[in-house]
Amino acid sequence: MSDLVVNDVSMVFETPTGEQVHALHDVSFSLKQGELLSILGPSGCGKSTLLNIIAGFLAPTKGTVSLASTELHGPGSDRGMVFQQGALFEWMTVAENIAFGPQMKGTPKAEIDATVNHLLETVGLQDFGDKPIYELSGGMQQRVALARCLANDPDVILMDEPLGALDALTREKMQSLVLKLWKETGKTIILITHSVEEALFLGEKLFVMAPRPGRIKKQYSLPFADAGLTQNPREIKASPDFIKTREEILSMIWEMEEEIMGLAATGTGG
Amino acid sequence: MTFLQTLKMKAGFGTDGLTKRKTVTFGDTSAVADGRMWSILSVFVLSVAWYMGSALELVNPIFWPAPSAVWEQFTYISQEGYRNFSLWEHIWASLYRILVGFALGCLIGIPLGFAMGLSQLMRGWFDPIVEFFRPIPPLAFIPLVIIWSGIGERSKILLLFFAALWIMVIAARAGVGSVKLSKIHAAYSLGATRKQILYYVILPNSLPEIFTGMRVAMGICWGTVVAAELVAAESGVGFMIMAASKFLATDIVVLGVIIVGLIGYAIDILMRKLEAKLIPWKGKA
């Protein structure tokens, strides 16, 4: 099985002024294939750095990342990325964007067409294949981004605040789509978000990270993602369990934020 | 909409429903229609003024000829030619020089700009060279170019190549710089190779900047070719103007000036149309 193992990863870099920044300190965890992990944390906790290391865009100063027992170096098509926005290719149509990955690999055209048509349907864009990207709304663009990633059939999907730029209603619809795709495809997903509600609703596992040095402060195992497949999302988000966990995490993040602010105010920060 | 309103919209006075209700319009550039009617009127008024000025003999024709005289020269030269070449040959001579010089400038400039955008070595190496030559008006090289390759085609094309080169280098470099890192990252995690990323991502992504550069370069080239022909040439619109001025044939001079203006205008319209067709996503991403 394609398990993802992050082993003892640290990231230290120097600012131009010679200051040492510990973006990540001894982060270790593993995900079984098909698990959905969401990561929360105040800004500067290293969650984006962690995602970039797993994606292969950054090399950690210490530690390793491996997928299916193979150590990873550099980016690869076994790990797909979904960005917040602006990562689609405006000079291509919706269908051409989705076909990009298989096309780069030289997959036969008939096979690509079948994949693209299937995915257009999966993300609810069957009539938009020939449309240029810039004519689509933000929500539709993120649907294309998801489809483009899936077309390549990666083992792991890394999402860097994929729904962050969407309005509240579109965002809720997209959360359900992410759950649906997760269930249907059985992909391992790591999702970074700023929304506690989103992290709780989507994450089977949830990490709350803390800054200075960046580390996993608390881990949760959550029942909501499974429930979200069958039950009404609004009811889940209004359930006492959900609200209790949400408030617990929110106050944890608030405390961290205040600590950062306090350090900055007294000048002992950094 | 009433007929009058439709007519007003068509004429470019357009005030659509919402604009009409706006209480603040000064500074709201979306409320400024293109005013095509005014353009037509301005051309008309200038033409009438020209015609009246010469009909009433307000201006000495040596300083500024009558429209009829320019028109006569136009019909005469377009049939009989001027100084061994037909009018079309003169126009084609200028256009040909531009097209070749401009094309060479793009051919060398765009890859060089790309290299400077993508490699530290190339950027460092070529930066002082580009930055030194860029602000020098190409006309300053005329004496050198004439010494190197005489007054034939080669010297003109070399000059125009120089005029277009630096603009295209800088445009292509800016184009490469405008690519969002997330697009590059996305392409890598979709399994694209460096070559594929260059061809399918960086190149199309920089087309808007490259096209803007091309429009600027075209304008500069057109101006440069006329000026170069003023100095040394045996054909071309600039040559026509220069040769006529030696005989105080102001009507031919003005004819040449009008031809230069019209062709320059036409080239820019063509480039804009091409841009809208080739880069429909410009400004919408």
Side-chain angles (χ1 to χ4, degrees), chain A:
Chain A
M1 292 303 264
S2 305
D3 292 359
L4 180 78
V5 180
V6 173
N7 187 26
D8 228 7
V9 162
S10 292
M11 187 71 171
V12 185
F13 54 88
E14 242 175 52
T15 63
T17 53
E19 223 181 300
Q20 290 228 324
V21 178
H22 292 259
L24 289 173
H25 183 73
D26 288 347
V27 172
S28 294
F29 65 92
S30 67
L31 287 178
K32 289 196 185 62
Q33 181 173 2
E35 282 189 308
L36 204 171
L37 163 72
S38 49
I39 301 179
L40 272 174
S43 39
C45 70
K47 54 189 190 297
S48 284
T49 307
L50 179 60
L51 202 73
N52 276 319
I53 288 173
I54 298 171
F57 302 135
L58 289 174
T61 36
K62 202 187 92 197
T64 56
V65 178
S66 36
L67 182 63
S69 312
T70 313
E71 208 173 291
L72 298 174
H73 300 281
S77 57
D78 48 356
R79 286 147 292 147
M81 276 295 266
V82 179
F83 295 88
Q84 185 167 5
Q85 61 180 159
L88 293 171
F89 307 133
E90 287 90 10
W91 45 92
M92 297 179 186
T93 63
V94 169
E96 286 166 349
N97 263 281
I98 299 174
F100 186 83
Q103 211 185 343
M104 294 303 107
K105 285 183 194 157
T107 312
K109 195 176 174 306
E111 204 176 305
I112 296 179
D113 286 348
T115 311
V116 169
N117 284 333
H118 170 69
L119 283 170
L120 280 172
E121 212 166 296
T122 312
V123 298
L125 291 174
Q126 50 270 44
D127 297 328
F128 293 87
D130 295 330
K131 286 253 185 288
I133 293 300
Y134 53 83
E135 281 182 15
L136 267 53
S137 67
M140 285 170 152
Q141 290 189 2
Q142 287 314 85
R143 285 167 193 265
V144 179
L146 284 170
R148 181 175 72 172
C149 183
L150 286 171
N152 232 13
D153 198 25
D155 296 323
V156 182
I157 300 180
L158 307 169
M159 300 188 176
D160 195 355
E161 293 202 52
L163 312 181
L166 304 179
D167 66 88
L169 269 177
T170 311
R171 192 166 185 159
E172 295 219 334
K173 278 189 221 159
M174 291 296 288
Q175 289 170 357
S176 300
L177 178 67
V178 170
L179 277 186
K180 189 187 107 177
L181 293 178
W182 170 59
K183 196 69 202 172
E184 280 177 10
T185 60
K187 302 287 181 203
T188 312
I189 298 180
I190 301 181
L191 171 95
I192 285 183
T193 174
H194 269 124
S195 156
V196 176
E197 198 187 72
E198 186 166 289
L200 276 175
F201 181 61
L202 294 181
E204 233 183 342
K205 281 187 172 177
L206 189 158
F207 293 170
V208 180
M209 291 183 67
R212 295 162 197 274
R215 64 198 185 274
I216 300 169
K217 189 179 165 81
K218 191 152 186 195
Q219 305 194 17
Y220 291 84
S221 288
L222 301 163
F224 309 114
D226 272 324
L229 291 165
T230 49
Q231 292 171 36
N232 181 348
R234 298 243 44 85
E235 272 170 26
I236 296 172
K237 288 177 186 176
S239 69
D241 256 4
F242 192 94
I243 293 174
K244 191 174 142 269
T245 324
R246 190 184 70 196
E247 291 311 307
E248 184 187 317
I249 293 172
L250 269 174
S251 42
M252 198 189 318
I253 292 176
W254 265 111
E255 261 168 45
M256 285 191 263
E257 290 276 2
E258 265 165 23
E259 209 174 299
I260 298 167
M261 297 302 278
L263 284 173
T266 54
T268 53

